[in-house]
Amino acid sequence: MYFLLALTLLISATILLVIMIRGASKQSPDLLSMRNLFLVGLIVFQYTSGIIAFIAPNLTNPYAIADRRGPGLKFVFMLLLFTVGFLAIYRSGFIADKVVALFNKKQVHVTWPKLIVLSLVFFALGAVFRLVMVQVPYFGILSIQVGAAFLALSTGLAAWAWAPRLWNPIPLLVVIFVVFGGMAIFFMDSFGRRDMLGIVLAFVWGAYYSTWRNISYKKLVFRFGILGIMGVFFLAAYSSTRFNYGIKMASLGDRVRALADADIAQGVTDLFSGQNAASYSIYFIETRPDSHSYDTLHSAKLFFALPFPRAAWPGKPNALAITSTQEINSVGMPKNWNIGPGLIGHFANDNPFLALPLYTFILAVFFKFTDGLLKKYNYDPFVVLPMGVALGQIIAVPRGELANFFGKTVFYIIGGWIAMQIIARFIQLLSPTSSMFVADDNQYGDGLDEDQSDHDTYNGYEDYQSDDHDDSTYSY
């Protein structure tokens, strides 16, 4: 029984990968799309984790269920139902396509030196919000999120400027500075993994949409292979260090020294094993509603409650990842220990008859909408890069906490979008001769300037056909 359930998940995950690769070959959606990154998280934290839960379960985990056949079958059924529903709604473009068609904006002309200036400005702001503003009561919690978004945005801006001109020393040095500087800031003020992953992914995201999405497949695979190996190596070391030493080591120096002794193999296992998310989901399926009643649409309620400080709202809902630890014997676990309930676990806890269709619909429409904007404005950094600031959160949504990670995704994207508009206009106010915005009425696809004539532009929602996309020739 367990073998058949694991085999079902393996076959289904393989089909998902084929769907992603086939779509990427036609840039529908792109290889790096919001949908695909979400599906990567789904494969790791629910499919792969589910296979491990059935074949090699950790029965010492206090959430472990000895007889997993019944809840395991329900887990597989709910996961497949969600996946099929998500893909069907996404493919239909229901609501999302109409909203994207209504969305229009002016062309943006930004040269790469201006992108470098923006990158350094956002890096400075990110450092201030992450290291200084965090001390402000109430606002401090929000400033942590704002700082993370700004540092990721800084990385994406620098990567966008650098990718078409790999050996130009100025953007190269700025890329090195903001990437390693952002990582150092995260080392200093926390030891969280998602924000660190966000830096890595924002760099790849910026480079991909700047130029790499239109280079030859061979070159793209080579560059992604190099970056992928480096990224996995670093994150594996990072994960291993967190696992062995915890997230509250005393100083930056201690954390850096701990990386030197990292167990890479252990870190890779932690990265790709799904962190027991499927086992936790199976627990919630087994215990709801018999042992513990449904908390109907808990994730939806928590999502809307997130902006309010707990100090000002004592009755604010708590995350399932935290409250569920009171249900089991957590003796020996560290203080403030919590779990990733898994996406299916949230469905089971929130009343699956309501939560599964509602959350499936919301996630599918949201990712279709964001990918629609990426397709329509794929060469506009003021649209593309705000999408790339929450990639670490998007991958984590299938792991849970659902409301927390999805809420951060929405906040990071909207906040990044608004911040880019404000900062760019502020720089334009200080230096009117270096305008970043076009004052005419041309929209994407409505006309071309002479210096843009060698580039195709979008007309509505059509595919972008350019074979060579080097923004060094933009007036941009």
Side-chain angles (χ1 to χ4, degrees):
M1 178 66 172
Y2 294 142
F3 175 77
L4 290 177
L5 292 174
L7 182 61
T8 301
L9 293 180
L10 178 61
I11 294 173
S12 301
T14 303
I15 293 174
L16 263 183
L17 288 172
V18 171
I19 291 173
M20 292 164 61
I21 293 172
R22 183 180 179 184
S25 68
K26 300 180 292 183
Q27 293 185 339
S28 181
D30 272 272
L31 178 62
L32 283 188
S33 63
M34 307 287 270
R35 185 205 72 171
N36 285 353
L37 288 168
F38 171 76
L39 291 179
V40 166
L42 188 69
I43 290 172
V44 171
F45 293 114
Q46 296 286 254
Y47 281 94
T48 303
S49 181
I51 293 171
I52 295 173
F54 293 131
I55 300 300
N58 178 14
L59 296 179
T60 63
N61 190 302
Y63 284 88
I65 302 295
D67 186 358
R68 303 177 305 285
R69 288 172 293 183
L73 184 60
K74 293 178 182 178
F75 168 81
V76 173
F77 175 75
M78 292 171 66
L79 180 56
L80 294 180
L81 189 62
F82 166 78
T83 304
V84 172
F86 175 88
L87 292 176
I89 297 171
Y90 182 96
R91 182 178 178 84
S92 74
F94 181 66
I95 295 179
D97 283 351
K98 292 183 179 179
V99 177
V100 171
L102 294 173
F103 189 95
N104 289 294
K105 67 182 295 294
K106 300 285 187 179
Q107 294 186 46
V108 176
H109 290 227
V110 188
T111 60
W112 71 262
K114 296 171 188 174
L115 292 174
I116 290 297
V117 172
L118 282 174
S119 175
L120 293 174
V121 169
F122 274 107
F123 178 85
L125 289 174
V128 169
F129 274 97
R130 195 78 187 200
L131 300 177
V132 179
M133 300 299 291
V134 70
Q135 308 298 327
V136 179
Y138 295 112
F139 181 75
I141 297 177
L142 182 62
S143 73
I144 294 176
Q145 316 306 329
V146 174
F150 283 179
L151 290 172
L153 193 54
S154 170
T155 301
L157 284 161
W160 189 293
W162 167 77
R165 49 194 67 79
L166 298 178
W167 307 114
N168 187 317
I170 297 177
L172 177 60
L173 289 174
V174 172
V175 162
I176 294 173
F177 172 76
V178 299
V179 169
F180 287 98
M183 290 181 174
I185 290 172
F186 289 144
F187 266 115
M188 284 189 286
D189 76 336
S190 74
F191 212 35
R193 179 167 44 194
R194 286 182 303 280
D195 288 337
M196 191 71 73
L197 177 62
I199 289 282
V200 176
L201 292 176
F203 170 80
V204 179
W205 185 267
Y208 177 80
Y209 278 98
S210 171
T211 300
W212 292 358
R213 71 186 296 269
N214 293 301
I215 65 177
S216 69
Y217 184 74
K218 183 178 179 180
K219 288 182 179 179
L220 181 64
V221 169
F222 175 76
R223 292 181 184 182
F224 267 51
I226 296 295
L227 289 174
I229 292 172
M230 294 172 60
V232 168
F233 183 86
F234 171 76
L235 290 173
Y238 195 68
S239 297
S240 172
T241 303
R242 280 166 42 97
F243 181 85
N244 289 325
Y245 297 97
I247 64 173
K248 298 296 183 181
M249 283 187 287
S251 67
L252 173 62
D254 291 337
R255 294 171 180 177
V256 173
R257 284 189 291 271
L259 279 177
D261 299 323
D263 186 334
I264 303 299
Q266 182 190 66
V268 170
T269 300
D270 183 51
L271 280 178
F272 295 103
S273 65
Q275 300 171 25
N276 292 313
S279 295
Y280 298 135
S281 292
I282 291 172
Y283 165 84
F284 291 111
I285 292 174
E286 172 67 8
T287 57
R288 269 68 172 169
D290 296 332
S291 301
H292 301 276
S293 60
Y294 292 136
D295 189 353
T296 302
L297 300 183
H298 166 267
S299 295
K301 292 183 288 187
L302 180 58
F303 174 85
F304 289 107
L306 285 174
F308 300 95
R310 191 168 297 278
W313 183 5
K316 178 179 177 178
N318 280 306
L320 178 63
I322 297 174
T323 59
S324 67
T325 59
Q326 302 168 11
E327 302 174 13
I328 48 93
N329 181 12
S330 58
V331 175
M333 295 298 179
K335 186 179 180 181
N336 298 324
W337 174 68
N338 59 78
I339 63 166
L343 185 62
I344 304 303
H346 284 292
F347 294 160
N349 177 76
D350 292 14
N351 189 339
F353 300 103
L354 296 175
L356 196 155
L358 178 61
Y359 297 170
T360 302
F361 175 81
I362 291 173
L363 290 171
V365 171
F366 175 79
F367 288 122
K368 181 65 173 180
F369 168 71
T370 53
D371 282 341
L373 289 180
L374 287 172
K375 187 175 183 180
K376 189 173 182 178
Y377 300 108
N378 66 77
Y379 52 87
D380 186 339
F382 282 75
V383 175
V384 173
L385 295 179
M387 302 281 187
V389 301
L391 303 182
Q393 310 298 330
I394 291 171
I395 290 178
V397 165
R399 173 185 176 268
E401 187 73 27
L402 172 60
N404 186 22
F405 297 152
F406 185 66
K408 286 183 179 179
T409 297
V410 174
F411 175 73
Y412 281 20
I413 291 174
I414 294 176
W417 187 302
I418 294 173
M420 280 196 72
Q421 300 295 323
I422 292 174
I423 298 301
R425 282 173 168 80
F426 180 72
I427 293 176
Q428 179 177 328
L429 182 64
L430 295 178
S431 178
T433 59
S434 61
S435 173
M436 297 187 183
F437 297 94
V438 181
D440 59 28
D441 294 327
N442 287 335
Q443 304 290 333
Y444 283 104
D446 292 338
L448 289 172
D449 294 334
E450 290 183 2
D451 57 347
Q452 293 175 303
S453 60
D454 59 339
H455 293 275
D456 293 332
T457 60
Y458 271 112
N459 185 4
Y461 206 4
E462 299 174 358
D463 287 336
Y464 186 63
Q465 302 291 339
S466 174
D467 293 324
D468 182 19
H469 184 57
D470 184 339
D471 71 356
S472 62
T473 60
Y474 278 63
S475 58
Y476 208 54

